[in-house]
Amino acid sequence: MSGHFMFDGRPVPFEAGQTILEAARAAGHYIPHLCWHPDFPPHGSCKLCMVKVGGRHVSSCALEAKEGMEVESNTPEMNGERRALLQMLFVEGNHFCPSCEKSGNCQLQAQAYELEMTSARFDHFFPVRPVDASHPDILLDFNRCIFCELCVRASRDVDGKSVFALTNRGIHKHLVVNAESGQLGDTDFSADDLAANICPVGVILHKRVGFEVPIGERTYDEVPISVVSMRDKGSKP
Amino acid sequence: MPHIAQAAESVITKHGRDATRLLQILIDLQQALGYLPPAGISAVAAGLDLPRARVEGVAGFYSFLHLEPVGEYRILFSDNITDRMLGSLELRDALCRKLWVEQGKLSEDGLISIDVTSCTGMCDQGPAMLVNGLPITRVDHQRINEIAELVRTRVPLSAWPRAFFHVDDNIRRRDALLGQSFVSGSAIEAAIRLGRDQWIDEMRASRLRGRGGAGFTTCVKWEACRDAPGSDKVVVCNADEGEPGTFKDRVLLTRCADRVFEGMVLAAWATGANRGFMYLRGEYAYLRPALEAELARMRAAGLLGRTILGEAGFDFDIEIHLGAGAYVCGEESALIESLEGKRGTPRIRPPFPVTHGYLGRPTVVNNVETLTKTTLIALGGGAAFAATGTAQSTGTKLLSVSGDCAFPGIYEYPFGVRIDRVLEDCGAGDAHMVQVGGASGVTIAGYEFSRSIAFEDVPSAGAFMVFDSSRDPFDVAHNFVDFFTHESCGFCTPCRIGTSLLKGYMDKLARGYGAKKDLADIEWINRLLRNTSHCGLGSTAPNPVVDTLAKFRPAYERRLRTLDFEPAFDLDAALAAARRITGRDDPAAHLDSGDKQHTEGER
Ligand SMILES: Cc1cc2nc3c(=O)[nH]c(=O)nc-3n(C[C@H](O)[C@H](O)[C@H](O)COP(=O)(O)O)c2cc1C
Ligand code: SF4
Ligand code: SF4
Ligand code: FES
């Protein structure tokens, strides 16, 4: 089955099984997202991809498109809610962009620019989160984790190593690595793993290359994420 | 550490080295070791051939599993608002003082740890606590003194006075279900006589709707499961009963376990399922021996197992899985994840469990009360069932009544009963507010007491908490927000962070530092939670705040210090640690000496 649905008032075709986000994307319409990645099944946790269908909020990365759906996405209401979700993510962790080596390549930061987030609005949680420098090639700075679980999924489903998992729950949820010591250095993690190269923010960092590309010349410094994402459709989230 | 490896190996063997039983394995291992030490986690991972991080992640999810040592005696005070109204916090503090231990910390000798836990389902006989998982009801100062002495003298739990552990059923009003005697096996026999198709027809005619909260039509769910492709279908009884203020499933499991299980067999007859699970909340683990005995009795009577009541091809059996302190596992897809030995994170839906449930198989999940009601339909027919209640809500409903009333307990009424009728029956002379349906339900103010309990008016999963005019609606909402914050699974952004933000604002108001802007922020967060949450926990979490703000706004405005902005950061409070270190609490050690008296004890 294939058909059409209306996306912000414009008809968009879809193939059977395609989600709203995938179909919109294929037709050249960008929907902001963080936990979705073209190479993985939908995760549905960040909720940035929320759209309204027939007045109801749904995750566009997870819901299959259906004939005749009326989807609202790029509206002040949806963008306002997305901005608020970003603000939540910013106050939950410790995101000091000017001193972060991911700055300019970070999707969270890029989304904040995209959605014109000018302040954090809410009070910062300032959680105490550790840094793990035990691995020879990789540094983990958990202060910036947004729990998209891309590293978890990549390590489990592609690298076949299950180096990462989540533990605890609620606001205390956090990542652990696959070692009794709790240290990345004691796992079989390697810098070539997909999991080492998929983090959308600045948690999983390669050592000794931090500022090879100067800030100001990085991916999202020059071009907004909505453009990068659509330009490199096959490969970039 | 060979004993750790040995204990792990024996538990894993007992569970057939089955990784879907990971949660059950961790519960049993903790029972053996007191807590789950790192070597225990590693041993379980190795024994099940699972990544260690995954085992650690599951263990970390559940409140009743401990990765750090806990006391030989582990006391958890039930922290529902109804327990608090009966003085639970004061009792907790008294016990902490007597045993020289701080809440949430392990005593130096490793003897005792004291903490709070979400509602334990004993609201009609609170304040309640769990001691090493066993409920103690009606705690008062005398009981606290006795408990302190028993702990201090290291009396084993088995030698504690039996009366401590007595749980009353408190059935106050009986109707169709509780008023009828039941002959075990009679409902199954009746349904077999009808045949599978006609049995479904009777279910359709009954228009029975789910009693677990969402009110989905049971027959539609059963038919969808029956028609779903795939064999090995599954029936799950949801006995997680985590909604604060709800305890009717506890009483059904105590009083008529035979009917609950028989309801599961009836669901299996309708859907063709051959495997059944009861997911029993950890707080009700004390019911397990009696439930297992009932299952054994039913097997012996040919009501479970192969060829049920001689019907060729009717094979169905039930196993009990324990939860371990996670309200979200009552949500059906999180429950299924938990049954599979995973973290209780709600799945993306669709697909729904009726087509893709336990291990991807078509699965029916029904509430304890829903399943029990099906025995009435098998015995009396669908039409008779539909003749009571209201047009959209047929049959009766069990209410768990607690709070400010003379006769807390279980009340069975036909749907459509008015709230003022319930208040009169339970002896709530000075009712001011009622929380119907638990923390995620509806807050009802006095002017609405003529409304009725039904899906088309005030829906309810069963809780009915009464508050008199001495109670502050803000405190009630505040307690519920704490509950949701504690119970959020943390999967999705809005609920994980939004509940914590909401708690921050409520705490700020409670401290008397609220500003008008905070109310606007609260309303904005409420909206985000409702609209964007991944599951019902997050989307209903703001309900008590939304309702009390709308119906009891002065309770909030009274707490506003200014009408504009007031920082959440309390500079004076931040100096508390410095004061503690220097042993000072004189006025000069405080920043503002204006309208507030600061003493460390208060914060
Ligand atoms: C956070 C959350 C907690 C829930 N807890 C329970 C529960 O403890 N017991 C229950 O029967 N249903 C609970 N539910 C509802 C279940 O998801 C499901 O709808 C129900 O078990 C279906 O059974 P029913 O149709 O017989 O009501 C909960 C739902 C949510 C969102
Ligand atoms: S470390 Fe990065 S990839 Fe992994 S969950 Fe956190 S943000 Fe996502
Ligand atoms: S709404 Fe809350 S409980 Fe439900 S998935 Fe999101 S974080 Fe988990
Ligand atoms: S992109 Fe859809 S929920 Fe994250």
Side-chain angles (χ1 to χ4, degrees):
Chain A
M1 196 199 69
S2 60
H4 285 81
F5 64 92
M6 299 299 281
F7 184 85
D8 286 335
R10 280 166 292 181
V12 164
F14 70 91
E15 303 289 325
Q18 246 180 345
T19 61
I20 296 170
L21 185 143
E22 285 167 338
R25 208 170 141 82
H29 304 295
Y30 176 70
I31 303 179
H33 55 264
L34 279 170
C35 69
W36 181 82
H37 189 287
D39 299 337
F40 288 87
H43 191 244
S45 63
C46 75
K47 301 301 175 195
L48 216 64
C49 70
M50 272 279 153
V51 297
K52 255 167 111 173
V53 175
R56 280 192 50 227
H57 284 69
V58 301
S59 305
S60 65
C61 71
L63 191 71
E64 288 184 8
K66 286 223 170 56
E67 182 65 39
M69 271 180 170
E70 304 227 3
V71 178
E72 296 168 52
S73 176
N74 194 7
T75 62
E77 183 194 355
M78 295 321 297
N79 286 333
E81 293 183 357
R82 289 175 184 139
R83 198 178 305 123
L85 292 172
L86 286 175
Q87 288 168 320
M88 286 185 181
L89 287 169
F90 270 96
V91 300
E92 179 191 28
N94 297 309
H95 299 274
F96 307 112
C97 297
S99 66
C100 174
E101 65 172 80
K102 191 80 174 205
S103 184
N105 288 328
C106 168
Q107 292 178 30
L108 181 68
Q109 183 193 43
Q111 289 293 0
Y113 283 121
E114 176 78 26
L115 290 160
E116 296 172 351
M117 188 193 114
T118 51
S119 83
R121 175 167 184 153
F122 308 116
D123 293 312
H124 284 270
F125 291 8
F126 298 125
V128 179
R129 294 197 193 154
V131 173
D132 178 349
S134 61
H135 192 279
D137 304 320
I138 299 287
L139 174 77
L140 296 179
D141 187 339
F142 292 112
N143 286 293
R144 303 161 187 153
C145 184
I146 57 168
F147 308 110
C148 67
E149 289 186 59
L150 275 165
C151 59
V152 177
R153 295 181 272 161
S155 185
R156 181 189 61 208
D157 303 338
V158 179
D159 305 328
K161 294 185 179 176
S162 292
V163 169
F164 299 101
L166 288 169
T167 190
N168 218 306
R169 71 166 191 241
I171 199 68
H172 305 294
K173 184 170 86 164
H174 62 91
L175 277 179
V176 286
V177 299
N178 197 30
E180 194 173 305
S181 66
Q183 300 280 299
L184 188 68
D186 293 329
T187 69
D188 53 355
F189 198 55
S190 140
D192 311 326
D193 288 356
L194 179 59
N197 299 285
I198 202 165
C199 181
V201 295
V203 179
I204 306 177
L205 300 167
H206 290 250
K207 290 183 175 173
R208 298 175 292 276
V209 297
F211 292 91
E212 263 178 6
V213 180
I215 290 182
E217 294 169 24
R218 296 175 171 191
T219 311
Y220 306 116
D221 286 336
E222 292 160 358
V223 192
I225 189 165
S226 56
V227 176
V228 176
S229 173
M230 300 303 287
R231 186 184 61 196
D232 307 327
K233 232 180 277 175
S235 58
K236 275 250 162 47
Chain B
M1 274 180 277
H3 76 284
I4 294 179
Q6 261 167 28
E9 185 53 32
S10 93
V11 171
I12 291 167
T13 312
K14 175 185 148 200
H15 288 281
R17 233 163 259 285
D18 179 354
T20 66
R21 303 189 58 89
L22 176 58
L23 174 57
Q24 308 307 306
I25 288 168
L26 292 172
I27 291 171
D28 283 355
L29 185 60
Q30 173 165 290
Q31 190 72 27
L33 300 175
Y35 78 110
L36 296 169
I41 298 289
S42 298
V44 170
L48 293 174
D49 200 17
L50 290 174
R52 186 188 189 282
R54 167 143 175 241
V55 177
E56 185 179 355
V58 171
F61 186 85
Y62 297 91
S63 290
F64 290 170
L65 294 179
H66 309 294
L67 294 160
E68 303 281 338
V70 288
E72 252 173 76
Y73 296 90
R74 174 157 177 77
I75 297 190
L76 295 173
F77 282 82
S78 177
D79 198 22
N80 190 26
I81 184 72
T82 53
D83 295 289
R84 287 196 179 193
M85 282 156 40
L86 293 164
S88 64
L89 295 186
E90 199 204 324
L91 293 161
R92 172 203 62 190
D93 293 343
L95 188 62
C96 285
R97 269 196 312 274
K98 281 182 205 305
L99 291 167
W100 290 91
V101 62
E102 235 180 286
Q103 183 195 321
K105 300 233 169 84
L106 175 62
S107 66
E108 271 173 37
D109 52 5
L111 183 63
I112 175 107
S113 44
I114 300 175
D115 213 329
V116 292
T117 188
S118 299
C119 179
T120 57
M122 301 287 167
C123 322
D124 56 336
Q125 46 206 303
M129 57 159 72
L130 295 171
V131 182
N132 296 357
L134 292 177
I136 294 187
T137 57
R138 285 180 217 79
V139 179
D140 55 13
H141 280 287
Q142 191 189 332
R143 235 165 228 201
I144 290 288
N145 288 339
E146 288 172 27
I147 290 169
E149 197 50 36
L150 289 164
V151 169
R152 235 183 267 122
T153 50
R154 291 188 142 83
V155 175
L157 216 54
S158 54
W160 287 27
R162 293 287 299 272
F164 281 18
F165 303 99
H166 181 76
V167 177
D168 275 318
D169 294 340
N170 287 332
I171 296 177
R172 309 281 186 180
R173 188 181 193 279
R174 295 161 199 273
D175 209 296
L177 183 72
L178 298 174
Q180 192 200 51
S181 63
F182 180 72
V183 179
S184 174
S186 58
I188 300 175
E189 214 179 287
I192 291 180
R193 222 178 305 121
L194 287 169
R196 293 189 198 251
D197 290 341
Q198 217 191 321
W199 164 228
I200 288 255
D201 290 343
E202 291 299 332
M203 280 295 295
R204 192 177 306 112
S206 75
R207 305 205 307 280
L208 173 68
R209 292 173 68 173
R211 288 349 189 203
F216 198 77
T217 303
T218 308
C219 177
V220 173
K221 200 184 264 186
W222 288 12
E223 283 179 293
C225 179
R226 178 195 64 186
D227 299 340
S231 53
D232 295 332
K233 292 174 184 173
V234 180
V235 170
V236 178
C237 173
N238 188 342
D240 200 46
E241 192 160 64
E243 190 63 53
T246 317
F247 47 87
K248 46 108 189 163
D249 293 343
R250 181 196 86 217
V251 174
L252 289 173
L253 293 166
T254 311
R255 284 292 265 259
C256 38
D258 52 351
R259 297 187 81 154
V260 180
F261 290 133
E262 205 150 315
M264 293 178 71
V265 179
L266 293 174
W269 181 237
T271 55
N274 50 26
R275 192 152 183 204
F277 292 100
M278 171 176 281
Y279 190 87
L280 183 68
R281 74 184 303 218
E283 290 83 344
Y284 294 170
Y286 75 100
L287 294 173
R288 185 173 189 166
L291 293 170
E292 296 284 8
E294 180 57 28
L295 288 175
R297 197 197 56 75
M298 287 177 69
R299 279 183 205 112
L303 299 171
L304 283 174
R306 296 205 150 268
T307 327
I308 291 175
L309 288 183
E311 184 69 23
F314 187 12
D315 307 333
F316 180 71
D317 211 329
I318 298 170
E319 42 180 308
I320 297 173
H321 271 230
L322 279 180
Y327 163 67
V328 70
C329 288
E331 193 282 333
E332 57 183 12
S333 67
L335 185 156
I336 289 169
E337 289 280 299
S338 182
L339 273 182
E340 292 180 0
K342 301 182 188 150
R343 296 164 57 80
T345 303
R347 293 178 176 172
I348 291 174
R349 285 149 307 140
F352 292 98
V354 281
T355 56
H356 297 75
Y358 177 74
L359 300 178
R361 300 168 190 168
T363 303
V364 159
V365 181
N366 273 131
N367 171 258
V368 170
E369 185 185 349
T370 313
L371 290 163
T372 315
K373 292 275 157 69
T374 64
T375 61
L376 282 175
I377 299 163
L379 291 172
F385 185 90
T388 54
T390 69
Q392 289 173 51
S393 316
T394 56
T396 61
K397 180 79 194 93
L398 267 58
L399 298 181
S400 318
V401 177
S402 65
D404 296 312
C405 62
F407 312 109
I410 299 295
Y411 291 73
E412 185 185 14
Y413 292 103
F415 261 121
V417 64
R418 278 168 50 139
I419 287 166
D420 45 17
R421 164 80 197 277
V422 182
L423 289 171
E424 196 182 314
D425 289 356
C426 71
D430 179 30
H432 186 57
M433 176 175 118
V434 182
Q435 184 72 20
V436 179
S440 69
V442 190
T443 312
I444 299 286
Y447 62 86
E448 302 172 281
F449 286 174
S450 59
R451 293 178 67 183
S452 48
I453 308 285
F455 293 111
E456 55 267 48
D457 191 359
V458 184
S460 174
F464 191 100
M465 290 179 268
V466 184
F467 304 93
D468 70 19
S469 55
S470 74
R471 309 296 179 186
D472 188 335
F474 175 86
D475 292 337
V476 177
H478 192 188
N479 176 256
F480 293 155
V481 168
D482 284 356
F483 164 77
F484 288 118
T485 308
H486 177 67
E487 295 296 343
S488 165
C489 84
F491 174 72
C492 70
T493 306
C495 172
R496 182 180 71 245
I497 307 168
T499 51
S500 274
L501 286 171
L502 196 54
K503 176 176 157 54
Y505 284 109
M506 295 296 274
D507 289 348
K508 184 181 173 195
L509 259 69
R511 289 198 306 267
Y513 281 87
K516 200 158 192 178
K517 179 182 172 293
D518 295 334
L519 297 190
D521 279 2
I522 286 174
E523 279 165 349
W524 175 228
I525 292 167
N526 288 347
R527 192 176 136 168
L528 292 162
L529 278 165
R530 277 205 170 160
N531 286 346
T532 66
S533 291
H534 182 68
C535 87
L537 190 154
S539 63
T540 59
N543 287 359
V545 180
V546 171
D547 282 356
T548 49
L549 256 176
K551 298 173 188 177
F552 300 93
R553 201 172 179 93
Y556 288 77
E557 286 175 341
R558 212 181 307 134
R559 292 182 155 82
L560 304 186
R561 192 180 209 197
T562 64
L563 289 183
D564 324 304
F565 174 75
E566 185 71 32
F569 183 72
D570 180 347
L571 199 53
D572 183 65
L575 293 174
R579 280 193 295 268
R580 216 167 23 244
I581 293 165
T582 53
R584 284 182 60 184
D585 197 22
D586 53 294
H590 286 281
L591 278 179
D592 67 2
S593 44
D595 52 350
K596 278 204 175 51
Q597 278 289 324
H598 292 287
T599 56
E600 306 306 346
E602 273 176 18
R603 15 197 97 241

